Amino acid sequence: MGNSESVVTPWEVRGEVDYRELIERFGVEPLTERIVNRLKVHAGGLHLLLRRGMFFAHREFDEWMDSYERGVKVILYTGRGPSGNTHLGHLIPWLFTKYLQDTFKCELYFQVTDDEKFLFNPELTTEQVAEFTKENLLDIIAVGFDPERTKIFTNLSYSKPLYNMAVRVAKHVTFSTAKATFGFSESSNIGMIFFPAMQAAPCFIHQYLKSEDAHVLIPCAIDQEPYWRISRDVAPKMGYRKPAGIYSKFIPGLGSGGKMSASLPDTAIFLSDTTKEATRKVKNAFTGGQPTIREQKEKGGNPDVCVVYSYLYSLFDEDDKAVSETYESCKGGGLVCGDCKERLAEKVGKFLEEHRRRREAARETVNKYLLRE
Ligand code: TRP
């Protein structure tokens, strides 16, 4: 079992990811129907990303809901590394975080790791990272987080409180643990080695700033999990609750195999793409179709490997009946790939248009969200 070819670290995701195997490897729990239904009671409905299995694993999410039900203060924490333009894959945890914030009416701490991207990418200058940060902030705000309850900060501009917390974390983490967890080596720069303490810091920043007990939940993609292993280890040593987590899969790129990646721009849909660009990318996407229309009609397509179908299923088609009809019809040869591509392109276009509008409006509100020293 498992797939020894796949690599999943905070800096690299490669190969065909076997999520069941990843649950074992990372020591997280599968999101069971029981837990999902518990969330449903609070939310009054289930987010598409849950219904379609994009969020698949967790750590003590049920304990976090216990805390909420018992009146313990609950908090959300997520983040973004500003290494380039935002694409659809980045958006997934943010959309889900908004749903959780709306459901539990809780505060959200949103970390932008400008330090990380500078330290880890030999090519990037601080100026370039600052430019990405400015642009990415608009995408984050466009998601529609509650301005009264959301605090966004960048590590290089909100350093004092973060550094104060990070040194407390760092004191409990040995180099040998950092090496084993993140694969650092003798040639890693020393900023990289300290950085995990900076990403752990927001797990405890509310408690530190407000001097009150709180239970933190981190919605994010599964590749960030190693950070939370460290954070959970140090939490009790510092007198804090361990942060809980809820984890998503990656969305595939539009090509065959691999997750959506900014380094493969033709197979990624950027939030800055025009409708025309996005449509072109969708039209070139990898599908489960047969080489000719005749064969497609005779033999049917294979939606199980089709990227276009997976986007409709995981992200863009809310209608349960419509997606299952698409699936059956494709298999039976009743659909050709052009039909599905058109449907997806239209939905993507609409989504991007909406996003652009909200993103422009965000220019006026960005200061309301930003934490400064
Ligand atoms: N390291 C993350 C990235 O490169 C950014 C990040 C910081 C983050 N804190 C987080 C992501 C908390 C999810 C949750 O994208």
Side-chain angles (χ1 to χ4, degrees):
M1 233 202 73
N3 182 344
S4 53
E5 295 300 304
S6 84
V7 175
V8 179
T9 73
W11 304 288
E12 190 183 19
V13 177
R14 186 158 37 86
E16 209 57 49
V17 181
D18 177 340
Y19 289 100
R20 242 176 306 171
E21 189 247 353
L22 212 53
I23 285 177
E24 304 271 308
R25 203 194 313 164
F26 281 1
V28 295
E29 305 291 324
L31 255 189
T32 60
E33 211 176 310
R34 185 186 60 79
I35 296 179
V36 168
N37 282 332
R38 213 175 143 192
L39 171 55
K40 187 175 178 182
V41 172
H42 290 293
L46 281 184
H47 198 281
L48 184 73
L49 292 167
L50 275 174
R51 262 170 31 225
R52 306 282 167 79
M54 275 304 280
F55 275 79
F56 74 108
H58 76 105
R59 238 177 189 157
E60 295 180 358
F61 178 47
D62 37 359
E63 277 88 338
W64 187 83
M65 285 191 284
D66 287 344
S67 285
Y68 175 77
E69 287 166 10
R70 290 194 197 124
V72 174
K73 177 136 197 163
V74 293
I75 304 272
L76 293 165
Y77 161 40
T78 194
R80 158 77 177 146
S83 54
N85 287 330
T86 315
H87 63 55
L88 274 181
H90 301 131
L91 208 58
I92 286 172
W94 308 351
L95 295 171
F96 192 66
T97 301
K98 173 177 159 55
Y99 159 79
L100 291 174
Q101 184 179 51
D102 291 346
T103 299
F104 296 99
K105 304 276 178 286
C106 49
E107 278 161 81
L108 162 65
Y109 287 83
F110 199 119
Q111 178 179 48
V112 179
T113 54
D114 42 7
D115 54 346
E116 174 191 18
K117 295 301 147 175
F118 173 66
L119 288 165
F120 282 81
N121 187 330
E123 315 291 320
L124 281 182
T125 64
T126 50
E127 290 77 15
Q128 284 166 317
V129 175
E131 189 54 37
F132 289 140
T133 297
K134 219 171 85 201
E135 294 299 317
N136 288 183
L137 280 172
L138 300 176
D139 289 316
I140 295 164
I141 291 165
V143 169
F145 297 116
D146 179 346
E148 304 303 325
R149 295 190 171 99
T150 304
K151 297 156 177 41
I152 307 177
F153 50 90
T154 90
N155 289 0
L156 292 175
S157 64
Y158 192 59
S159 316
K160 192 173 165 193
L162 289 172
Y163 186 66
N164 268 277
M165 181 47 70
V167 290
R168 290 163 168 78
V169 171
K171 196 167 184 175
H172 295 292
V173 185
T174 64
F175 181 42
S176 123
T177 299
K179 264 208 292 208
T181 311
F182 298 99
F184 296 135
S185 69
E186 295 292 314
S187 62
S188 306
N189 71 55
I190 59 177
M192 292 166 73
I193 295 157
F194 182 74
F195 175 75
M198 289 298 282
Q199 184 154 329
C203 296
F204 316 112
I205 203 72
H206 180 88
Q207 299 86 318
Y208 172 74
L209 293 172
K210 299 284 160 75
S211 306
E212 65 178 1
D213 180 25
H215 200 162
V216 172
L217 172 70
I218 308 166
C220 64
I222 187 70
D223 62 321
Q224 298 298 305
E225 214 284 323
Y227 288 109
W228 320 132
R229 233 173 289 155
I230 299 257
S231 310
R232 290 168 55 82
D233 277 354
V234 303
K237 297 179 186 157
M238 299 165 69
Y240 298 125
R241 288 172 197 269
K242 294 183 179 191
I246 185 160
Y247 309 123
S248 76
K249 299 177 181 171
F250 311 106
I251 62 164
L254 290 165
S256 79
K259 73 156 191 155
M260 185 173 282
S261 161
S263 56
L264 299 168
D266 269 339
T267 62
I269 295 175
F270 292 98
L271 301 181
S272 52
D273 281 350
T274 61
T275 305
K276 209 171 139 200
E277 278 166 331
T279 301
R280 177 184 63 79
K281 291 179 187 180
V282 170
K283 297 254 154 111
N284 288 327
F286 175 79
T287 70
Q290 302 290 348
T292 67
I293 290 185
R294 216 183 95 206
E295 279 174 273
Q296 176 85 2
K297 297 213 151 133
E298 276 168 24
K299 301 183 195 160
N302 185 0
D304 292 315
V305 301
C306 179
V307 171
V308 174
Y309 176 73
S310 89
Y311 277 40
L312 287 169
Y313 180 84
S314 306
L315 298 174
F316 285 103
D317 198 342
E318 287 272 350
D319 185 339
D320 290 341
K321 201 163 143 249
V323 278
S324 78
E325 277 169 13
T326 303
Y327 186 88
E328 293 307 329
S329 179
C330 170
K331 278 200 124 165
L335 278 175
V336 291
C337 297
D339 299 337
C340 285
K341 284 176 172 173
E342 205 139 303
R343 233 173 87 215
L344 178 61
E346 194 182 309
K347 287 181 187 288
V348 170
K350 262 206 198 112
F351 177 83
L352 291 178
E353 215 170 281
E354 268 289 293
H355 182 81
R356 262 196 298 277
R357 196 182 49 71
R358 288 194 304 258
R359 191 179 195 281
E360 279 314 301
R363 291 183 199 278
E364 308 296 318
T365 55
V366 58
N367 283 326
K368 224 177 149 186
Y369 287 89
L370 278 184
L371 275 186
R372 291 179 207 280
E373 268 173 29

